[in-house]
Amino acid sequence: MFQDFKLVEDRPVAIQVKEYINRLIIKGALQAGQKLPSTREMSLLLKVSRNTVIAAYEDLEDAGFTYAIPGKGSYVAAMADQSAEEHGSAGESAPWRIDWKTKVNEYAEAAVALDRIKHGIRAPKGTISFTSIAPDESLFDLGDVKRAFMDRMAIEGQVLLNYGYAKGYKPLIDYLMRYMENKGVDTRGKDMLITSGFTEGFDIVLSALRPAARSGAAICENPTHHTAINNMKLQGFEITGIPMERDGIDVQRLEAVLQTGCFDLAYLTPSYHNPTGIVMSPAKRSAVMNLLMRHQVPVIEDGFNEELRYSGAHVAPLIATVGQGNGVIYIGSFSKVLFPGLRVGWVLGDRTLIDALESIKRARTIHTSTIDQSILYQYLINGNFDKYVRKARAEYKRKYELTKACCEAYLPEARLSGDGGLHLFLTFPPSVNTQELLEACMERGVIFTPGDKFFIHPGEGTNTLRLGFSRVTDELIERGIRIIGEQARSFL
Amino acid sequence: MFQDFKLVEDRPVAIQVKEYINRLIIKGALQAGQKLPSTREMSLLLKVSRNTVIAAYEDLEDAGFTYAIPGKGSYVAAMADQSAEEHGSAGESAPWRIDWKTKVNEYAEAAVALDRIKHGIRAPKGTISFTSIAPDESLFDLGDVKRAFMDRMAIEGQVLLNYGYAKGYKPLIDYLMRYMENKGVDTRGKDMLITSGFTEGFDIVLSALRPAARSGAAICENPTHHTAINNMKLQGFEITGIPMERDGIDVQRLEAVLQTGCFDLAYLTPSYHNPTGIVMSPAKRSAVMNLLMRHQVPVIEDGFNEELRYSGAHVAPLIATVGQGNGVIYIGSFSKVLFPGLRVGWVLGDRTLIDALESIKRARTIHTSTIDQSILYQYLINGNFDKYVRKARAEYKRKYELTKACCEAYLPEARLSGDGGLHLFLTFPPSVNTQELLEACMERGVIFTPGDKFFIHPGEGTNTLRLGFSRVTDELIERGIRIIGEQARSFL
């Protein structure tokens, strides 16, 4: 015994010794009542210092795995419950098996079926991948993030590590309220809930607005953010998609659809719309808001990548256009611009509504990570955000223009859309099936996201694809798009 | 104009200047086409350096709020959308009002109604408060937490700030799997999902197991963790509570109840049960597991404060007693022992089930904060956890014994329960209504948690209360309990 002890680096040795003996007890290799070797003997057996063994023995005793008899040594304690056999682990009776496949409900099944990431594309290393629209992590200014953390910990570390508030970290809320005011939002009568990113915010809003007795009815741009489609489907909404035009949603179609029935909400992404990259024109924003107000359909505005403006005048978010009105719920996040790993988003809307959402948030997750919120807050007030966005914007703009130029050169058959952001959207002639194109490209080491998953109904958008360029080098952008172009030719 | 500019400390001046001018534009105090003062003039007007103004002007132009005419200066850009008036903010037509009270559904209404924290006790400063069972933040070892963060950031900071995985941070999962094995769990066929604390884990499990066509049926200890009661109610479960005895759930009653119908799950907290503080005896653990296995009722085990053992032998969690069986879902968290601000919990259970839960987690929040997960991971492998728990356990044990002694001295009429943890539970003779007792005590500056909220049905437990002692000083524990005793006398 004690021959198979192996030290690993980077972990305190006493803890490794403790866990090693702990395991021997759990496995039954050391039995109740058995005397452990003396600390001196054990230190020779395991080739560690005697003090280390003493510390490990103390911890074992503390945890109730052993007991000490003064002057005699340490003994293995009887396990309070050794009944695994009784319940069938090793004994004669079979272990307790539940067939979880039949136990989980339709919601869980739908979540699995809609989970594209789980069934996503697996590509070998070295593949040129245009599938990601996450930021390029080499742009991250780690020094500033570390400083933000250390600054905040020095100010109120103990507070940050204890419970926070469901509504969010107060200094961050105050900051973001002012931030939204600077975009032209009239915050009177409105309030804010901090969530774990956009997705949680959206899911909580849907869960509060989903009708109880019937399916919900939602309107959205088609195509749109596929996570949002999933959430609406999972929450039981019937979705009516409105096609996109070059400057945003098709207003005529929206008007026609609004006349056909009642809708519980409209989900809209007016800026750098995912996946098309289109920024809704000011004239359309105004027309869309007038229509939805007239039909009393509340708007959930996705502030997605609003910060990634590459050129042109400031365009106010929809929520800024209703002044003191309360018909728009704005969900924002810095994830795509800043750090997706920091799971922080915010919901800005009518005070009464936010009050209800706060209770749902509390029931679901108590509150969003205070560490995340406070790092973000300190990073913002340190002025790092403005500095970082300037740098990131310049770099992404350059890549955006390169990608666009490459598409125009190598994929002249595809219609391009995308006024900014971290991706471009391509629409091929109907003969090009982008799932098949993907398979052909994969063989040549290039992958992208076929566009069909952004559409509401199966069979739509099979001739579209999304190219995320943020994490691809200039050289590979050029090479990758050239290869897609070569492969696409055979489908034309 | 420009007279009301006021600098605040601790924020970059250029950003303050930018936001100040931004606001003047948004408010319409600076109109489209208007020329801004030159950078030299503005620096005199605002009493800041000229370089600061230059930086602010660049940012404003970058954001599309102004444009520069070379050789002439900066001009205010036309807002792309100034239609707030059209939609009724300041114009003649009324603003768009939605009555959100009528828009939100029963789920949201129930969440508000069950939200005790929102309707919780507000006590003036200086009140002796026994309401919290959060850890004492003065015990937090901030230096170790900072070191854990800096260590991990140095190793893979850029990875941590970008997207993570819905399932969780791999090194942490591996660590916690081994941690659970050290408690005697057979992890074969099992897997783990990291969640934002216990509450999210529990809510996700319920959402997957809630029957679609009918109300769910759940069994639990009565009283029990009130957040868990809320979650079960919000997810549409009918709850059958089983009374507690001194050594845990009443097994006879459990058996009788199991014979009356079908149950979808049993929610159990075998260690340091909240609110009673009882540790279920090994014999009961075995009996309970045999019963539930025979009736094929899956168990959700709440690992609440299992780490806060003050004395006695190691007691294996329920999931350790089923060996390779898959009938128990274990939900753990270090929140109460370690740092509640780090929102990290874990669900350990059958691999098929965890796979479905992972998809739900992804649909709801993408993933748990990687910063939180990685700080926790590094803190654990640095050996800080063992060190901290030893310190915290010693301190809480001392306070636990003091609280117990004070209760025995000043509240001899109350039956005490609680074998450890951060609180004690008191049961008075039926004549004592603890809501009324609370009102009497508040007048003398002492508050506690009346126990009725931990019971399944209204009207139960009105003679009980919970005393959380972790954040009260020795002196105030003694004084507070003395006052409760004095007030209680008038109810007897």
Side-chain angles (χ1 to χ4, degrees), chain A residues 98-101 103-104 108 111-112 115 118, chain B residues 166-168 173 177 187-195 201-202 204-205 208-209 299-300 319 326 328-332 345-362:
Chain A
I98 287 180
D99 182 3
W100 287 104
K101 274 215 160 64
K103 281 275 177 195
V104 301
V112 173
D115 190 348
K118 199 172 267 176
Chain B
K167 200 160 170 292
I173 292 178
M177 285 298 265
T187 57
R188 282 173 295 174
K190 298 188 179 71
D191 206 346
M192 188 177 280
L193 174 73
I194 302 289
T195 57
F202 189 58
I204 287 178
V205 170
L209 300 183
V299 176
I300 304 179
I319 193 169
N326 68 357
V328 181
I329 306 161
Y330 179 96
I331 310 180
W346 64 93
V347 184
L348 173 66
D350 178 79
R351 190 170 285 160
T352 311
L353 175 69
I354 296 294
D355 189 65
L357 301 183
E358 180 196 342
S359 290
I360 297 176
K361 168 75 184 169
R362 183 176 284 117

Side-chain angles (χ1 to χ4, degrees), chain A residues 310-311 392-402 421 469:
Chain A
Y310 296 152
S311 60
R393 199 149 52 190
E395 172 63 8
Y396 291 139
K397 184 181 181 188
R398 205 184 52 68
K399 277 199 178 169
Y400 162 77
E401 280 161 3
L402 171 68
F469 53 75

Side-chain angles (χ1 to χ4, degrees), chain B residues 28-50:
Chain B
L30 288 167
Q31 294 268 321
Q34 195 172 335
K35 184 174 180 300
L36 291 182
S38 71
T39 51
R40 186 186 302 275
E41 286 164 349
M42 191 62 110
S43 86
L44 292 171
L45 283 164
L46 301 185
K47 301 184 184 66
V48 299
S49 82
R50 192 169 163 207

